[in-house]
Amino acid sequence: MKIPGRIAILGGGTWATALAKIVLTKETHINWYMRRPDQIEDFIRIGHNPSYLSNVPFNLDRITFFSDINEVVKNSDTLILAVPSPFLKGHLEKLEVPLEDKFIISAIKGIIPPENLVVTDYLTQYYNIPAENMAIIGGPCHAEEIALERLTYPTIACPNLSRAAMVANIFNNRFVKASTSIDVSGIELAAVLKNVYAIAAGICHGLKYGDNFQAVLVSNAIMEMERFVDAVSPIKRTIYESAYMGDLLVTSYSSFSRNRTFGSMIGKGYSVKAAQIEMEMIAEGYYGVKCIMEMNDSYNVEMPIADTVYNVLYEKAPARAEIKRLREILK
């Protein structure tokens, strides 16, 4: 297996574009899969992604574009997955070529519905990909800041640390400092949960709760995250590392956070559908909270913040009343 060999980015959104920018600081060439041929045509015509991070120019001589997922997989050794988690199944269902001989890097900070599996578990169960042939990207790494070349510290997790180091080397450059970990499941679950908690932070912001309350909310969210991750994946970890808490903090507080933005719109009185339409981007936490709640039926972890987000988004409970109930529970 060649690691990285020929690298492909799968996805045409903000995060995929940021990853392409990072990889091209080290690699001379990438393959890039986008579902829509018209997006590729516009990209080639103007020299940048027409819809996302349009301030990032690309040297088109260093990119081969594909709109056929089978062709990009056939012509690549390492696949970087950067599509929204609810749509991954739809892309992979078109595959007619095997994945077993590929190295896969998941940059998807979400969970696969309705199976309620993190990406690596889904790929192992449905595509027979060994765990050591996969890595994930976690930690605080907003695409918009990468586009601006602001210092970013992702974590690359793989059961095989030497392979994690190989992947980290793909990403390390003057503005990206990647570290390594073996805690694949824990970091994947934390990435799902931080989106849920960022929606909660956004709801509170929309309801005009102040910084003091937000600090209490996020402090409790860290503890809630630790309880759930430890219940599902009971290995020794330090939840206060950047792959867990750092990602939670940036997603809960940053103006670039689409989950916080989505939650803020809900707090201001938007319906879920209206907020989704106006945002024009996927808030992964909307899908993630339902999956987490269904998973928790088997673990019975105390999760009042996630419960609150679920009630608001799926049970149509009034946001103000739900946060009023929550604030009596938080410490």
Side-chain angles (χ1 to χ4, degrees):
M1 174 175 287
K2 297 178 182 178
I3 304 174
R6 298 166 297 173
I7 298 175
I9 308 285
L10 276 64
T14 306
W15 187 210
T17 305
L19 289 165
K21 175 184 172 72
I22 294 172
V23 173
L24 283 169
T25 64
K26 299 289 281 290
E27 300 293 317
T28 57
H29 183 273
I30 62 168
N31 295 329
W32 197 341
Y33 164 77
M34 295 181 184
R35 177 179 56 87
R36 290 169 36 215
D38 61 308
Q39 186 179 8
I40 294 174
E41 290 168 8
D42 288 343
F43 201 126
I44 293 171
R45 179 173 53 83
I46 60 180
H48 60 74
N49 193 324
S51 305
Y52 306 98
L53 299 187
S54 56
N55 60 323
V56 178
F58 286 90
N59 180 347
L60 300 181
D61 293 337
R62 299 173 63 194
I63 303 171
T64 301
F65 288 101
F66 296 83
S67 59
D68 184 330
I69 193 169
N70 285 289
E71 287 302 311
V72 74
V73 171
K74 191 185 303 180
N75 286 279
S76 307
D77 301 298
T78 292
L79 311 175
I80 302 177
L81 307 181
V83 299
S85 59
F87 306 143
L88 179 64
K89 283 174 61 177
H91 289 285
L92 296 182
E93 283 169 358
K94 300 172 188 173
L95 273 178
E96 298 171 356
V97 297
L99 288 175
E100 288 92 335
D101 61 340
K102 310 297 179 182
F103 190 81
I104 297 178
I105 302 169
S106 172
I108 300 172
K109 295 187 174 185
I111 198 165
I112 309 300
E115 287 80 7
N116 301 337
L117 294 170
V118 292
V119 173
T120 56
D121 286 346
Y122 179 80
L123 292 174
T124 295
Q125 290 190 29
Y126 288 86
Y127 291 88
N128 301 313
I129 300 172
E132 62 269 20
N133 290 354
M134 293 183 285
I136 60 138
I137 303 173
C141 38
H142 275 150
E144 293 82 357
E145 293 211 339
I146 290 168
L148 296 168
E149 299 190 358
R150 292 178 178 168
L151 196 58
T152 300
Y153 288 77
T155 298
I156 309 300
C158 178
N160 184 320
L161 264 183
S162 64
R163 290 187 170 184
M166 291 180 195
V167 175
N169 188 54
I170 301 170
F171 294 98
N172 276 325
N173 59 38
R174 59 187 171 78
F175 59 92
V176 177
K177 310 297 179 187
S179 59
T180 59
S181 171
I182 60 168
D183 186 18
V184 176
S185 294
I187 292 173
E188 282 189 285
L189 288 168
V192 177
L193 289 164
K194 57 92 179 178
N195 288 330
V196 174
Y197 301 138
I199 291 176
I203 292 171
C204 293
H205 177 262
L207 290 169
K208 300 190 182 305
Y209 280 83
D211 293 343
N212 292 338
F213 182 75
Q214 291 277 8
V216 172
L217 176 73
V218 174
S219 297
N220 279 262
I222 292 166
M223 294 185 284
E224 185 169 307
M225 174 186 287
E226 183 174 35
R227 289 195 298 270
F228 186 79
V229 172
D230 285 352
V232 178
S233 178
I235 70 169
K236 185 178 180 181
R237 62 175 59 84
T238 304
I239 205 74
Y240 306 110
E241 292 178 353
S242 63
Y244 316 93
M245 188 172 77
D247 207 4
L248 171 62
L249 291 173
V250 76
T251 311
S252 296
Y253 287 112
S254 175
S255 60
F256 291 129
S257 169
R258 63 190 68 178
N259 288 283
R260 176 185 165 87
T261 300
F262 176 71
S264 183
M265 294 171 76
I266 299 297
K268 290 174 181 176
Y270 283 73
S271 68
V272 168
K273 185 172 286 293
Q276 289 172 324
I277 290 170
E278 184 156 324
M279 280 186 62
E280 297 182 343
M281 290 195 294
I282 298 294
E284 293 264 17
Y286 170 74
Y287 302 94
V289 70
K290 186 172 188 290
C291 296
I292 291 293
M293 289 294 93
E294 290 174 356
M295 286 179 68
N296 200 36
D297 287 342
S298 301
Y299 295 98
N300 297 312
V301 176
E302 184 184 0
M303 302 186 76
I305 303 174
D307 287 339
T308 297
V309 174
Y310 179 84
N311 290 341
V312 172
L313 299 185
Y314 286 90
E315 301 294 341
K316 296 185 170 62
R320 188 173 298 279
E322 281 297 301
I323 298 301
K324 184 177 181 181
R325 179 190 61 81
L326 178 65
R327 75 188 193 192
E328 300 304 317
I329 299 171
L330 302 183
K331 299 176 182 178

